[in-house]
Amino acid sequence: MKNAPPDAVEEQKCPSCGAAMRFDPKEGRLVCDSCGRTEKISASGEAQEAQLGGFDFENLAQQAVDPDAEALPIYHCVSCGAEVIADAQRFSLTCPYCGNNIVLTDKVSGKLRPDGVLPFQITSDTLPDAMTRFYKGKRLLPKNFFSDSRMGSVTGVYLPFWVFDGNLSGVLDYAAERSSTHRSGDYIITDTSHYILKRDVSVDFKDVPVDASGRIDDALMDSLEPFDMQQEQPFDTRFLAGFAADRFDQAKEDTAERARARMRSTAESIAHSQAGAGYGLVRQTGGSLTANLKARYVLFPVYLFDLMHNGNSYHFAVNGQSGKVVGNLPIDRGVSFRYFLLRMGVILLALLGVSVVRYFMGR
Ligand SMILES: [Zn+2]
Ligand SMILES: [Zn+2]
């Protein structure tokens, strides 16, 4: 263990009164709760030389990134001097001793510096309302689940994402059919022509996000989308004040496969619908698409908390722009069974309805 250099810790302090300043999502500014001073965050002076490492996916060099390889340095709070414990990923936090908001700048410098940030747009006090909307219509919940549960402490955290732009192009092969029927005397004749189609495909993509943190479930993060990329700001540590922030621990080369898979299925379904125009039956038989991708490193705003109920805890995540809630809820088996019967009843009625119609039509 070694001490981090003192200049590796940056603090957000009020120039008027010396209290901690925090980023206020509603105001979109730095705010001092002590004296009321506010500060606009304008695009930071240091022009962002976009480090968009473009790369041809097919020729990816294997780059191992081991975030735990370096021993964790010890940081000291600028205000009170206390030792601040931070794990390898976290670089923005609040000093537990004095409440000062600090950023560990050695984790956001050089290649680790984010290109952009999506600032928080909603405050954590809106979360109970968001949860109420989330529960609405969830009929399988145990009775009184909401009123009997306790919400754990909320962490507002900027999570690391790679945001991909790029193009997929290549040739896709399809087998297609076209049929026509005509009557000839007592016979109905169907002519079917078979075609082999080759289609040039080129689809451009913009802003496809892939989460770059190994400790958050990928599927959970995917379901938090969409994020509004129009709100992206050049990275500035002042947006982090009062929030936690984690650096990436999955290199962009390692997440590119997920980006490519998402783009490929979209490109194939677009290509399929166009290739099939004018044909009765079309199926893809082969071909391949080459991806040419670029990624930038952007911090996304997410609230995380647990809900405790009957000794179990349930994890939730909330989109810090839109308030969209994602999480797992328990299912009440009794309610579930009644719901099942109800649906069976509806289906039965529908079937009866169909047979009544048939009966009348048959006469
Ligand atoms: Zn102040
Ligand atoms: Zn402190």
Side-chain angles (χ1 to χ4, degrees):
M1 289 275 195
K2 61 175 194 329
N3 282 328
D7 62 0
V9 180
E10 180 189 298
E11 58 179 356
Q12 296 299 342
K13 269 204 157 170
C14 175
S16 305
C17 73
M21 294 195 92
R22 62 176 178 85
F23 174 69
D24 186 308
K26 261 186 261 171
E27 307 264 336
R29 294 163 159 255
L30 276 182
V31 170
C32 173
D33 291 321
S34 188
C35 72
R37 184 188 171 111
T38 71
E39 251 176 49
K40 196 172 174 230
I41 304 176
S42 50
S44 58
E46 342 157 22
Q48 277 281 335
E49 197 51 45
Q51 339 164 327
L52 302 187
F55 52 92
D56 180 351
F57 186 90
E58 308 299 338
N59 299 310
L60 273 187
Q62 285 299 322
Q63 281 183 21
V65 168
D66 182 1
D68 298 322
E70 329 100 58
L72 295 180
I74 299 167
Y75 297 89
H76 291 276
C77 173
V78 185
S79 287
C80 71
E83 246 180 42
V84 177
I85 315 277
D87 60 31
Q89 279 79 37
R90 190 137 293 182
F91 63 81
S92 176
L93 56 155
T94 300
C95 173
Y97 303 98
C98 71
N100 193 24
N101 294 324
I102 52 185
V103 169
L104 311 177
T105 53
D106 57 339
K107 294 181 187 177
V108 284
S109 58
K111 282 193 162 174
L112 296 178
R113 186 180 169 86
D115 298 299
V117 54
L118 300 179
F120 273 90
Q121 290 179 259
I122 59 167
T123 50
S124 58
D125 53 17
T126 62
L127 297 186
D129 283 348
M131 286 305 282
T132 309
R133 286 197 303 274
F134 180 64
Y135 285 126
K136 227 180 224 169
K138 300 260 188 311
R139 42 176 99 221
L140 300 187
L141 274 183
K143 233 183 188 171
N144 301 331
F145 176 76
F146 194 22
S147 50
D148 292 351
S149 351
R150 200 163 50 77
M151 198 163 155
S153 66
V154 177
T155 310
V157 55
Y158 285 102
L159 293 175
F161 275 72
W162 293 111
V163 179
F164 288 85
D165 291 340
N167 171 277
L168 255 66
S169 62
V171 178
L172 296 181
D173 307 322
Y174 299 89
E177 285 178 23
R178 208 180 257 157
S179 302
S180 61
T181 54
H182 61 271
R183 180 181 276 271
S184 168
D186 287 341
Y187 297 95
I188 292 178
I189 297 173
T190 301
D191 290 325
T192 303
S193 309
H194 295 270
Y195 301 85
I196 292 173
L197 309 177
K198 278 191 181 298
R199 295 284 190 239
D200 284 324
V201 176
S202 176
V203 183
D204 290 328
F205 290 88
K206 203 170 150 34
D207 295 337
V208 177
V210 178
D211 94 83
S213 171
R215 50 180 171 186
I216 310 276
D217 181 55
D218 289 345
L220 188 73
M221 284 297 105
D222 287 352
S223 24
L224 272 183
E225 292 177 27
F227 285 90
D228 179 6
M229 298 307 295
Q230 299 293 321
Q231 305 300 324
E232 184 178 343
Q233 300 286 328
F235 177 71
D236 188 312
T237 52
R238 288 174 292 182
F239 288 115
L240 312 181
F243 293 95
D246 287 354
R247 52 159 269 201
F248 67 87
D249 58 10
Q250 292 176 336
K252 78 180 145 197
E253 291 79 6
D254 298 335
T255 58
E257 177 54 42
R258 289 185 56 212
R260 190 173 78 142
R262 287 182 77 168
M263 293 179 186
R264 189 173 46 213
S265 70
T266 305
E268 284 184 353
S269 76
I270 292 173
H272 190 273
S273 65
Q274 290 179 359
Y279 297 91
L281 196 69
V282 176
R283 80 195 145 78
Q284 192 183 324
T285 54
S288 66
L289 298 175
T290 303
N292 203 311
L293 307 179
K294 280 178 178 179
R296 60 188 196 280
Y297 172 25
V298 183
L299 302 174
F300 283 27
V302 177
Y303 287 106
L304 299 172
F305 60 92
D306 286 341
L307 212 60
M308 271 71 73
H309 183 262
N310 272 349
N312 296 315
S313 80
Y314 302 90
H315 304 302
F316 285 87
V318 178
N319 182 317
Q321 290 185 315
S322 64
K324 179 181 182 186
V325 178
V326 172
N328 300 316
L329 290 170
I331 287 179
D332 183 324
R333 288 181 189 280
V335 176
S336 166
F337 185 62
R338 285 196 298 278
Y339 188 52
F340 173 74
L341 287 180
L342 178 72
R343 288 184 53 145
M344 283 305 291
V346 171
I347 290 169
L348 196 64
L349 279 177
L351 286 175
L352 281 172
V354 167
S355 60
V356 169
V357 171
R358 279 218 186 106
Y359 174 70
F360 282 119
M361 280 176 49
R363 296 220 304 180

